[in-house]
Amino acid sequence: MALIPRKALCETSSLLLQFRRFRGKINIQRPRKPHFERAKYIALTQPYFINPNKDKTPQELCKGFKEQRSEETENPFQRILSQELYKWLTSSRLIVFYHSNPMPAELRFKAKVSFKKKNMHLTQYGKKTVEMAVKGTPYEAVLNLFVSHNVMLFSPEPDIKTVFSISKKFPQFVLLAGVLEGKFVSRDELTAYSLIRTSNQPRPGSYKPLTASVAKSLAV
Amino acid sequence: MSIYYSGTFKRSAGVISAVVKQLNLVNLKPVKKFKSNLIHFTQMLDFLFHISSPKVAETNLNCVIKTNIVCDRSEPQIKIDLNDAGSIKFLANNLTVLEILQQINKHISSQVKEESVNQETTKARKKQIKR
């Protein structure tokens, strides 16, 4: 009894119905139109991409367009240099600003050495570093001088004469202006200050013994 | 729809390329002296820098460039004394470096006649160049 297949007794397959699912080959060139429900889901789940050029201006659409890079991040080393520069600015009694014409590096080194021998510090800083150091401080006016190639000289003593005597040997350094005892001075003022005698000793030949006549002349 | 790219494929660095081009043409042979009254914070310091470069100086070793930094609010001026009794004055208040160089090339460098290329370098000339 068990040997008789179940199918033959209980389930009778009707020969009239032939179910077809991928029966035969699928025609990819002329695909079958899907059922409406299937078609609905296909239509809903189709991916769509927004055009990347949608809201762009004609300038942005141009071939060689480069987006403007914002300079928000500052260079920490530049910040350190600017702080160093600010220390020099505040600690020196005389600061001189030069415009430097082209000169060989050897000569520039010689100039640095000559100044160093008189305890003066000659350096070169870029405009951006100076801007970092000086912006918001009383030295902000100095930025106007930084147009072309610039060189700065820092001296702890206001020894203008020495500065002039050494500068004469290096004509490539053109003196622009200076800061004397925290006061911004022009080139003419610097030359005037250099002519003032700073020593306390009287001039030779000017000493007169204090006699009655001299005392009379001194009395106002 | 778009047409193919046409034109040169040169790469220019902006204004400085034009300035350098003019500088290469500068010849100061007819110049005796360069006197400039410059204000300490003008663009003319840039011009001074370019004109003091060794290449330009080599064109005329006898030419003297004298700069006077001026502190009153007068106009920056550049006066060029020529060898044959004449002078050109630039009122550089509103002039750019490029414009001045162009004018110099137009009026001064154009006066220079082309000399023969093969010049015997004498000892004296070599000494001058070394200086």
Side-chain angles (χ1 to χ4, degrees):
Chain A
M1 199 62 179
L3 292 168
I4 305 163
R6 211 187 196 183
K7 210 176 173 181
L9 289 170
C10 306
E11 300 166 28
T12 51
S13 55
S14 114
L15 288 164
L16 293 170
L17 287 170
Q18 281 287 341
F19 296 107
R20 189 176 81 157
R21 183 173 168 80
F22 304 136
R23 191 178 173 277
K25 293 180 194 168
I26 309 164
N27 193 343
I28 49 175
Q29 297 252 343
R30 285 177 293 280
R32 197 177 73 176
K33 206 171 162 187
H35 190 269
F36 178 71
E37 294 288 331
R38 191 187 173 84
K40 206 164 56 174
Y41 281 113
I42 287 167
L44 279 170
T45 55
Q46 276 289 330
Y48 63 93
F49 305 99
I50 300 165
N51 191 352
N53 294 338
K54 192 189 172 190
D55 290 321
K56 282 191 176 171
T57 58
Q59 289 86 4
E60 285 172 338
L61 288 169
C62 202
K63 192 181 174 186
F65 179 76
K66 282 182 193 171
E67 277 182 46
Q68 283 172 341
R69 270 178 262 153
S70 57
E71 294 173 40
E72 282 173 20
T73 52
E74 64 166 36
N75 192 341
F77 183 55
Q78 202 168 33
R79 176 59 63 183
I80 293 168
L81 286 174
S82 66
Q83 283 164 359
E84 216 178 81
L85 170 58
Y86 188 70
K87 274 186 206 165
W88 278 111
L89 281 169
T90 46
S91 62
S92 29
R93 285 171 75 185
L94 171 65
I95 307 163
V96 179
F97 302 99
Y98 292 102
H99 162 83
S100 79
N101 282 328
M103 69 198 286
E106 271 178 294
L107 203 62
R108 195 178 272 256
F109 181 70
K110 275 187 186 167
K112 198 164 180 174
V113 162
S114 329
F115 280 118
K116 183 79 181 173
K117 282 184 181 169
K118 302 286 177 183
N119 197 22
M120 294 179 186
H121 183 69
L122 185 79
T123 44
Q124 189 171 19
Y125 285 101
K127 189 172 180 179
K128 185 117 190 267
T129 319
V130 176
E131 202 184 302
M132 258 194 212
V134 135
K135 206 139 203 184
T137 64
Y139 296 94
E140 202 167 342
V142 152
L143 275 174
N144 291 318
L145 297 169
F146 283 77
V147 175
S148 188
H149 302 241
N150 284 78
V151 151
M152 281 190 275
L153 180 72
F154 301 101
S155 171
E157 298 301 317
D159 197 355
I160 307 172
K161 273 189 184 157
T162 322
V163 169
F164 275 119
S165 62
I166 300 174
S167 306
K168 269 185 194 168
K169 295 178 199 167
F170 305 100
Q172 292 92 344
F173 286 146
V174 178
L175 203 150
L176 299 176
V179 175
L180 181 63
E181 307 275 15
K183 202 176 170 188
F184 202 50
V185 286
S186 65
R187 185 209 172 93
D188 299 336
E189 285 171 1
L190 269 175
T191 43
Y193 278 121
S194 71
L195 295 170
I196 295 170
R197 289 186 67 80
T198 50
S199 64
N200 293 321
Q201 289 174 359
R203 263 193 284 180
S206 68
Y207 174 75
K208 289 176 191 167
L210 193 66
T211 55
S213 53
V214 173
K216 246 189 185 176
S217 64
L218 284 172
V220 177
Chain B
M1 269 297 280
S2 62
I3 55 171
Y4 288 116
Y5 180 83
S6 58
T8 58
F9 285 92
K10 285 182 191 164
R11 301 174 83 187
S12 164
V15 180
I16 190 71
S17 304
V19 169
V20 166
K21 184 184 169 189
Q22 293 299 323
L23 270 177
N24 288 333
L25 294 169
V26 161
N27 195 327
L28 298 180
K29 272 230 162 80
V31 176
K32 191 167 71 176
K33 208 175 191 184
F34 239 102
K35 263 190 267 178
S36 51
N37 267 10
L38 304 177
I39 298 180
H40 48 69
F41 52 76
T42 45
Q43 292 289 330
M44 289 307 114
L45 289 170
D46 244 342
F47 169 75
L48 178 67
F49 179 84
H50 287 128
I51 218 79
S52 320
S53 76
K55 265 194 177 175
V56 172
E58 232 176 64
T59 57
N60 186 357
L61 295 154
N62 298 320
C63 172
V64 174
I65 300 172
K66 194 181 170 194
T67 322
N68 187 22
I69 298 292
V70 151
C71 306
D72 51 3
R73 292 179 183 208
S74 57
E75 272 188 23
Q77 284 175 18
I78 299 167
K79 195 176 173 193
I80 304 172
D81 295 330
L82 301 170
N83 275 328
D84 29 314
S87 72
I88 298 173
K89 199 178 193 183
F90 286 99
L91 300 172
N93 206 4
N94 294 318
L95 288 174
T96 62
V97 176
L98 181 61
E99 284 164 0
I100 295 180
L101 282 170
Q102 280 169 341
Q103 291 301 315
I104 285 175
N105 281 329
K106 185 177 166 189
H107 294 288
I108 297 172
S109 309
S110 54
Q111 287 178 18
V112 175
K113 289 170 197 168
E114 273 187 38
E115 292 173 20
S116 59
V117 179
N118 295 323
Q119 261 188 355
E120 281 183 51
T121 46
T122 54
K123 258 192 186 177
R125 174 127 178 92
K126 275 186 186 166
K127 253 193 180 175
Q128 261 194 333
I129 291 167
K130 253 193 187 174
R131 220 201 303 153

